[in-house]
């Protein structure tokens, strides 16, 4: 019993000593930025989104046309299937299957969430925008002598004394 009490006291003492070493961490000036507000009000981001959406629409329109052509081909074969030879039916079905595979391959190449062209295009369009935002955040943080900046969307609770840099960042991006 006595050794358990000593162990608890030792653990508490260690925790206090370790916390003294991290006091500076808690004394840092913290700033927040509403990343969503910055993005939605940043013209470069709006233009990039418009460009991305326009390209996605072109690809989606192509997919729609391919799907319609596949369905039309299938419907056409279905209407005359009873008059077709078994060999002709197999060829027709193979053609429809190939069209479906091409449709799936095109969809995957364009819209795959891992490595589709839409994701590559998004990354290419957003990189310079995110670089500008990062530079603006760094500038605002240095100006206000803030050592740590956190996105408001990631915070559950904010106490008084936290510096909001959102306006400064938005001004720097204009």
């Amino acid at each position: 019993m006595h050794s358990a009490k000593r162990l608890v006291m030792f653990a508490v003492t260690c925790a206090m000593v370790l916390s003294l070493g991290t006091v500076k961490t808690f004394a840092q000036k913290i700033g927040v930025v509403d990343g969503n507000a910055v993005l939605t009000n940043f013209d470069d981001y709006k233009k990039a989104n418009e460009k991305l959406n326009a390209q996605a629409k072109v690809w989606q329109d192509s997919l729609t046309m391919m799907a319609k052509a596949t369905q039309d081909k299938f419907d056409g074969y279905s209407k005359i299937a009873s008059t077709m030879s078994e060999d002709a039916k197999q060829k027709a079905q193979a053609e429809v299957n190939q069209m479906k595979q091409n449709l799936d391959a095109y969809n995957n190449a364009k819209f795959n969430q891992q490595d589709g062209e839409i994701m590559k295009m998004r990354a290419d369009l957003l990189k310079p925008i995110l670089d500008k935002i990062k530079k603006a955040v760094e500038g605002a943080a240095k100006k206000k002598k803030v050592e740590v900046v956190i996105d408001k969307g990631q915070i559950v609770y904010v106490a008084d004394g936290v510096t909001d840099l959102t306006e400064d960042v938005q001004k720097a991006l204009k």
Side-chain angles (χ1 to χ4, degrees), residues 84-160:
M84 296 171 76
S85 69
E86 199 57 41
D87 187 41
K89 285 181 187 178
Q90 287 178 354
K91 285 181 183 177
Q93 187 60 48
E95 187 176 352
V96 170
N97 288 342
Q98 184 61 49
M99 290 175 79
K100 286 180 181 178
Q101 287 176 355
N102 292 345
L103 177 68
D104 289 342
Y106 184 83
N107 185 39
N108 190 46
K110 301 303 181 191
F111 294 105
N112 183 292
Q113 294 297 307
Q114 308 263 309
D115 60 355
E117 286 186 51
I118 196 82
M119 298 308 288
K120 292 175 187 172
M121 185 177 181
R122 180 185 313 269
D124 290 344
L125 289 171
L126 288 182
K127 179 158 181 10
I129 292 167
L130 295 176
D131 289 345
K132 286 180 184 178
I133 291 172
K134 182 179 178 186
K135 186 176 178 181
V137 169
E138 287 173 0
K142 287 178 183 175
K143 182 178 174 185
K144 300 265 179 139
K145 296 181 171 58
V146 170
E147 298 169 13
V148 177
V149 179
I150 302 169
D151 187 328
K152 272 187 179 179
Q154 305 300 317
I155 298 174
V156 176
Y157 170 76
V158 177
D160 292 336

Side-chain angles (χ1 to χ4, degrees):
M1 180 74 149
H2 189 22
S3 64
K5 194 174 189 181
R6 271 187 156 170
L7 186 59
V8 169
M9 290 300 289
F10 178 74
V12 169
T13 304
C14 285
M16 287 174 49
V17 169
L18 289 174
S19 69
L20 291 176
T22 60
V23 168
K24 184 180 183 318
T25 302
F26 294 111
Q28 292 177 326
K29 189 169 178 185
I30 297 174
V32 294
V33 173
D34 186 343
N36 191 38
V38 169
L39 280 178
T40 56
N41 293 313
F42 189 30
D43 286 337
D44 290 3
Y45 179 73
K46 290 176 187 177
K47 289 174 188 170
N49 255 350
E50 288 170 5
K51 187 173 183 177
L52 189 66
N53 290 338
Q55 184 60 58
K57 183 174 180 349
V58 168
W59 290 333
Q60 188 61 50
D61 290 348
S62 294
L63 276 172
T64 301
M65 288 177 18
M66 291 171 74
K68 183 178 180 342
T70 303
Q71 187 63 47
D72 290 348
K73 185 70 84 172
F74 176 77
D75 292 345
Y77 287 140
S78 295
K79 288 178 184 175
I80 61 171
S82 61
T83 63
M84 296 171 76
S85 69
E86 199 57 41
D87 187 41
K89 285 181 187 178
Q90 287 178 354
K91 285 181 183 177
Q93 187 60 48
E95 187 176 352
V96 170
N97 288 342
Q98 184 61 49
M99 290 175 79
K100 286 180 181 178
Q101 287 176 355
N102 292 345
L103 177 68
D104 289 342
Y106 184 83
N107 185 39
N108 190 46
K110 301 303 181 191
F111 294 105
N112 183 292
Q113 294 297 307
Q114 308 263 309
D115 60 355
E117 286 186 51
I118 196 82
M119 298 308 288
K120 292 175 187 172
M121 185 177 181
R122 180 185 313 269
D124 290 344
L125 289 171
L126 288 182
K127 179 158 181 10
I129 292 167
L130 295 176
D131 289 345
K132 286 180 184 178
I133 291 172
K134 182 179 178 186
K135 186 176 178 181
V137 169
E138 287 173 0
K142 287 178 183 175
K143 182 178 174 185
K144 300 265 179 139
K145 296 181 171 58
V146 170
E147 298 169 13
V148 177
V149 179
I150 302 169
D151 187 328
K152 272 187 179 179
Q154 305 300 317
I155 298 174
V156 176
Y157 170 76
V158 177
D160 292 336
V162 174
T163 305
D164 190 336
L165 302 173
T166 305
E167 276 188 41
D168 298 298
V169 172
Q170 288 175 323
K171 286 178 186 174
L173 293 171
K174 291 187 180 192

